[in-house]
Amino acid sequence: MLLAAVTFWSRRGSSVDTPSGQALRTATVTRGDFVRTVRLHGTVEAIDSHAVAAPRLVGQNLSTLIITKLTPAGTRVKRGDLLVEFDRQNQVKAALDRQAEYRDLDEQIKKKQAEHAAARARDDTELRAAESQLEIAGLDMRKNEILPRIDIEKNQLNLDEARARLQQLRETYELKRRAAQAEIRVLEIQRDRALNAARHAEQNSEKMAIRAAIDGVVVFSQIWKGDQLADVQEGDEVRAGIPFLQVVNPAAMQVRARVNQADVSPLRTGQKATVRLDAYPDLVFPGTVDQIASIGITSGRSDKIRTFQVRFMIQGSEARLTPDLSAAVDVELDRRAAVLLVARDAVLSENGQSFVRVKNGSDVEKRAVKTGPMNDTDVVIESGVEPGAVVLRGAAL
């Protein structure tokens, strides 16, 4: 919708009494600057900003984190300054518990290694004894030629028993070694898991303190508290991954607006604009059209309606100029200096011809005029009437 701009002239309306006693509204043709604007609505954004969200913890499924320290909104911070700190007691306790578990498992591994070394020494001794017993049984078999038959059978049984025992010890020896290695490996895996858990807990503990990534001003983003939106405070619980504040550079701000396809055609980059904040009507900033999207966004209600993203650069800064404020932007589409202007409702049309009713004493004279562009309040008069002329306003009587 095209709106009237501020013009730099003074126009005074008056009432004129007709002979019948009816009051008529009048306007004076003046010379001044004509401005045609279009009003758009958008949201203030920071060009250079860093959002801060509640950290996501490794290896834990905590749904919320409790804020213990919070930098007040509006505070100017430098890179590296502490912004917010969450309760880290659970992470510290988890790190200490996992470290203790790691040390305990490491000692268990050392103990098992010593036990397995002793068991291997015993198995080696038994293996050598079995080999010696087999050699003795083999020597006894050489005496069979001079021994009775019963002794020969005993020697043969002793030899078979020694050979079977040695084979059994050799087979079980490797099985015992593999079992020992598996037992050690299980403990090593448990130890490594405990170490990783301790490291994750330490990393989570470090994430509990968030510092500024850039120089700027702290601005809170509202979050849901129960059934309403509100700023965060110390002691609040914030869900992991939810952004709740940002650090912005107040020296560079912009407004991003969605413009209907009917209003986007006269917009051009570089056009001057005036930015007003809905929350602070007394704040007015100059600006310019910085960027116009070349592709429109289709409306959810009709594929024939599209809107275009338009970005406006704000010149200047003020402490109250913060992100997420709604703003009205008046874009200057046309400006003409030192032209004749008259109230829009003073110009009438008849048979394709524009005219005004000029007051001349007690009479009213109808004059054809050539008009130029118009805005919501004024019309440019190119010819047909002189400055200072008093004309009637409203519909013809």
Side-chain angles (χ1 to χ4, degrees), residues 95 98-99 102 192-205:
R98 300 291 82 76
Q99 289 174 0
Y102 168 79
D192 294 342
R193 285 180 177 175
L195 179 60
N196 289 333
R199 290 173 177 173
H200 290 160
E202 291 174 353
Q203 293 173 0
N204 291 339
S205 178

Side-chain angles (χ1 to χ4, degrees), residues 98-111:
R98 300 291 82 76
Q99 289 174 0
E101 183 180 353
Y102 168 79
R103 289 191 293 269
D104 179 64
L105 289 169
D106 193 50
E107 292 299 324
Q108 290 185 36
I109 291 173
K110 294 178 181 179
K111 181 180 178 181

Side-chain angles (χ1 to χ4, degrees), residues 22-65:
Q22 182 179 3
L24 298 178
R25 297 168 55 239
T26 63
T28 303
V29 179
T30 59
R31 187 173 296 277
D33 293 342
F34 171 82
V35 180
R36 183 165 64 96
T37 62
V38 61
R39 170 158 289 191
L40 306 172
H41 297 274
T43 304
V44 178
E45 297 178 351
I47 298 176
D48 185 15
S49 65
H50 176 71
V52 174
R56 297 184 183 275
L57 304 182
V58 179
Q60 297 189 25
N61 295 321
L62 295 178
S63 58
T64 58
L65 300 172

